[in-house]
Amino acid sequence: MTLTLQECPCCASASLIGLQLPSGSHSEAGKAISNSPSWKLCGSCGYVFQSPRPTRAELESAYADSAANSGASISPGYIDFAPHQLIRFLPWLVMNAHDPRLITNGTCLDFGCGIGGSFEFLANQHNSLWGVEIDRSRAAFGNEHFHTRIVPTVEDLPRDVQYDLIFANHAIEHIYDPNDFFSFAGRSLKSSGSLIVAVPAWRYGSRPHSLGAFGADDMSVWDHIAMASWLNKYGLFMTSYLYQHYGRGGDWELCVTAVRSPKKNHFFCSIEETIREFYSMLARGAVVTAQEPQMHCAMSFNS
């Protein structure tokens, strides 16, 4: 069963533009979903999302019950990488006044945390560490080996808790509806807190094989313009953004920092320019240069 979206999940516009994006299925969860991805770009806000797509039940079942999530061993490489999911952004976060090492006696949440190791270095600072992870095997491993308390959904978190830090590393592209995440972040982040989100980026992409890895379990691909639309919708203001090469065989990623604020982000880029850039990216994918820059764009705003 698949569901065709007739309007943009972000801005509700019905002005959707079909895109030709190489298709693939890079994860066990994606392989469990019988669906060939088809992509749409919103002609109003620039959000790129999959439509038709699996139903919410199909997607969540694939993550909870696929072969990768039902008792398969956790690889040593994944365990070793877990602490670096947040630490690898530290120089940029420090530059933009979002240094997580300054949080003490606070409450931090890792959304889509996997085994929950990214916050381990915050445990010694007397912080309360929480994680949300639907993958039962990874959650069980994390609850046994790390200080993060991991629950399946945000509904299972303590009621009425406000967070000093909410972090989501390559997670929200896999959820059925980003409204679920951003509405939660908008009401649960402290007024002095920081939101840090990393997602796969189509803008500045250059590798056709990684574009082909966007499969049935990837609900969206991103750029900073669409990300700002989502954040502003729920009372969050983007204070900085970064494009960089993801490494480990991947392509470009976008990382953003945000705070609670009624202010709005404004970018001088029309939807026509966005469409031209998207197809220019696909054309560039045919040629990969020998030396790629490690960072394409870093931008800060006065908040």
Side-chain angles (χ1 to χ4, degrees):
M1 181 179 179
T2 58
L3 179 66
T4 301
L5 299 186
Q6 304 295 337
E7 59 184 32
C8 173
C10 179
C11 70
S13 171
S15 176
L16 305 182
I17 302 164
L19 298 172
Q20 297 298 318
L21 188 68
S23 62
S25 187
H26 73 284
S27 72
E28 290 298 322
K31 294 174 184 177
I33 302 170
S34 178
N35 184 42
S36 179
S38 178
W39 298 86
K40 300 292 189 297
L41 183 149
C42 176
S44 296
C45 71
Y47 177 51
V48 178
F49 59 97
Q50 189 185 142
S51 179
R53 62 173 60 190
T55 64
R56 184 189 296 270
E58 286 176 322
L59 187 66
E60 294 179 354
S61 176
Y63 274 105
D65 300 323
S66 73
N69 306 331
S70 57
S73 60
I74 308 297
S75 70
Y78 181 78
I79 297 171
D80 292 340
F81 177 70
H84 298 283
Q85 291 177 352
L86 180 58
I87 291 174
R88 65 196 179 94
F89 294 112
L90 276 180
W92 173 67
L93 294 172
V94 170
M95 180 179 68
N96 290 285
H98 290 274
D99 189 348
R101 295 171 300 181
L102 300 179
I103 302 174
T104 59
N105 299 300
T107 306
C108 307
L109 172 67
D110 187 345
F111 181 87
C113 66
I115 58 176
S118 66
F119 284 170
E120 188 67 8
F121 70 101
L122 294 175
N124 294 330
Q125 296 165 201
H126 309 290
N127 293 295
S128 176
L129 309 179
W130 289 89
V132 171
E133 177 56 58
I134 195 172
D135 181 326
R136 291 189 294 267
S137 293
R138 291 181 178 180
F141 183 94
N143 280 323
E144 181 178 351
H145 292 87
F146 296 103
H147 292 89
T148 302
R149 287 169 286 181
I150 304 174
V151 297
T153 70
V154 294
E155 286 76 20
D156 299 302
L157 292 167
R159 299 280 181 171
D160 302 321
V161 171
Q162 298 283 289
Y163 297 92
D164 297 271
L165 171 64
I166 297 177
F167 176 54
N169 181 63
H170 289 262
I172 63 172
E173 69 269 23
H174 297 296
I175 63 177
Y176 176 77
D177 187 354
N179 285 291
D180 298 341
F181 171 77
F182 288 110
S183 63
F184 169 81
R187 66 178 183 270
S188 301
L189 190 68
K190 287 184 179 179
S191 58
S192 59
S194 296
L195 173 65
I196 304 171
V197 177
V199 288
W202 65 260
R203 193 178 288 270
Y204 309 120
S206 62
R207 293 171 178 260
H209 75 270
S210 63
L211 292 174
F214 292 122
D217 59 325
D218 292 285
M219 297 295 100
S220 53
V221 289
W222 299 79
D223 76 342
H224 62 286
I225 300 173
M227 179 63 73
S229 296
W230 279 104
L231 292 167
N232 295 168
K233 180 179 178 180
Y234 289 102
L236 297 162
F237 179 75
M238 184 191 298
T239 55
S240 60
Y241 69 85
L242 166 74
Y243 286 96
Q244 67 178 4
H245 189 266
Y246 185 48
R248 302 197 309 157
D251 200 53
W252 290 95
E253 67 178 347
L254 166 68
C255 186
V256 305
T257 59
V259 296
R260 285 180 60 178
S261 172
K263 295 179 64 175
K264 304 295 184 184
N265 296 104
H266 299 284
F267 296 101
F268 299 99
C269 180
S270 68
I271 196 65
E272 291 79 10
E273 291 173 312
T274 296
I275 295 169
R276 284 198 297 271
E277 174 61 25
F278 191 96
Y279 280 107
S280 174
M281 173 271 298
L282 291 180
R284 289 196 308 270
V287 178
V288 179
T289 58
Q291 293 183 339
E292 291 186 340
Q294 292 302 302
M295 183 183 297
H296 189 95
C297 177
M299 188 75 175
S300 296
F301 310 93
N302 293 322
S303 56

